[in-house]
Amino acid sequence: MKIGLICGSHRPNSQSGKVARYIERALREQSLCDDTWLLDLAHSDLPFWDEGVWDSDNAEWQAHLDPLREQLHSCDAFVVISPEWHGMVPAKLKNFFLMWTAGEEISHKPALIVTTSVADGGSFPVAELRTSSYKNSRLCYLPEHLIIRYVDTVFNDNPEDNKASAQEYFEARLTYCLELLREYALAFRQIRASGKASLSVYSSGM
């Protein structure tokens, strides 16, 4: 079992990155998977999409995509972490999803949405990801998601920087979501193995 984490913030030292690293540690410490892979888009040189993505002979694009393709293909499930910027998902995260169409990298694999906000936000990215990031990629979001509000008060490396009641709640809720993600990942293996999830006939979703 391998679970990939996609952190969508552009900021090198973001709160979303902090949460992503915490979740990665939690997955390992709770033995919910055998391996993890974290893609922090703040440290990625993935260019913005253009038609060259579709050209398998485009050496520049393939140099960017091949390492990601290999990692994504090896993952059984994903955690997608996004801050809320002006009520939206960051551009780099939207751009990331444009790369994976009509392929098996993330198709018919479960994903948990985790959003972050330093205040009362965080709900708009959930709606945006559920609306617009799965159509051609065929990523399958869990019905559960996690919105981490006042994110600067939880999941900090120094326990003294955390609000105790909020930390306790979010730890428990996170464990619940991650355990559920694992069960979905196990079940979706059978879906992919059935052959009924082939993209060869209908490469684009409706």
Side-chain angles (χ1 to χ4, degrees):
M1 174 71 66
K2 180 177 179 179
I3 296 180
L5 301 96
I6 314 299
C7 181
S9 178
H10 298 200
R11 292 175 173 147
N13 299 304
S14 68
Q15 291 290 329
S16 295
K18 176 191 76 175
V19 170
R21 292 187 295 274
Y22 185 96
I23 294 174
E24 185 176 31
R25 290 196 302 271
L27 285 165
R28 292 175 177 270
E29 291 171 1
Q30 298 173 33
S31 300
L32 293 171
C33 62
D34 303 302
D35 195 11
T36 59
W37 171 68
L38 171 59
L39 174 62
D40 189 339
L41 292 175
H43 303 287
S44 171
D45 60 355
L46 186 66
F48 280 101
W49 183 95
D50 64 42
E51 293 89 343
V53 172
W54 295 332
D55 184 0
S56 60
D57 294 326
N58 187 316
E60 182 178 355
W61 262 114
Q62 298 315 311
H64 288 292
L65 295 180
D66 284 348
L68 295 179
R69 185 176 287 116
E70 181 178 350
Q71 288 284 359
L72 293 168
H73 197 273
S74 68
C75 291
D76 295 283
F78 300 96
V79 181
V80 178
I81 304 103
S82 175
E84 180 176 310
W85 288 1
H86 296 269
M88 297 182 291
V89 170
K92 278 193 172 184
L93 185 54
K94 297 287 284 188
N95 181 64
F96 169 81
F97 284 112
L98 290 175
M99 307 295 168
W100 317 111
T101 60
E104 297 179 353
E105 293 86 4
I106 63 176
S107 66
H108 300 289
K109 296 181 181 181
L112 170 68
I113 295 173
V114 177
T115 63
T116 64
S117 173
V118 295
D120 290 319
S123 60
F124 286 115
V126 174
E128 186 175 356
L129 288 168
R130 291 193 185 281
T131 298
S132 64
S133 59
Y134 75 94
K135 174 182 170 288
N136 288 348
S137 71
R138 278 21 183 250
L139 189 65
C140 298
Y141 288 118
L142 269 61
E144 292 288 338
H145 56 256
L146 191 60
I147 301 175
I148 304 175
R149 298 187 170 103
Y150 297 94
V151 65
D152 55 325
T153 67
V154 292
F155 297 132
N156 294 298
D157 291 335
N158 184 355
E160 294 182 359
D161 295 332
N162 295 325
K163 183 179 179 181
S165 59
Q167 181 70 22
E168 182 181 2
Y169 170 78
F170 280 119
E171 281 184 355
R173 189 91 188 215
L174 175 62
T175 296
Y176 170 78
C177 288
L178 294 179
E179 288 178 348
L180 187 62
L181 179 64
R182 174 181 168 81
E183 295 304 313
Y184 269 77
L186 292 170
F188 269 63
R189 285 177 174 176
Q190 176 59 35
I191 294 174
R192 294 194 301 277
S194 71
K196 301 300 182 181
S198 172
L199 303 178
S200 60
V201 178
Y202 303 111
S203 59
S204 297
M206 276 191 167

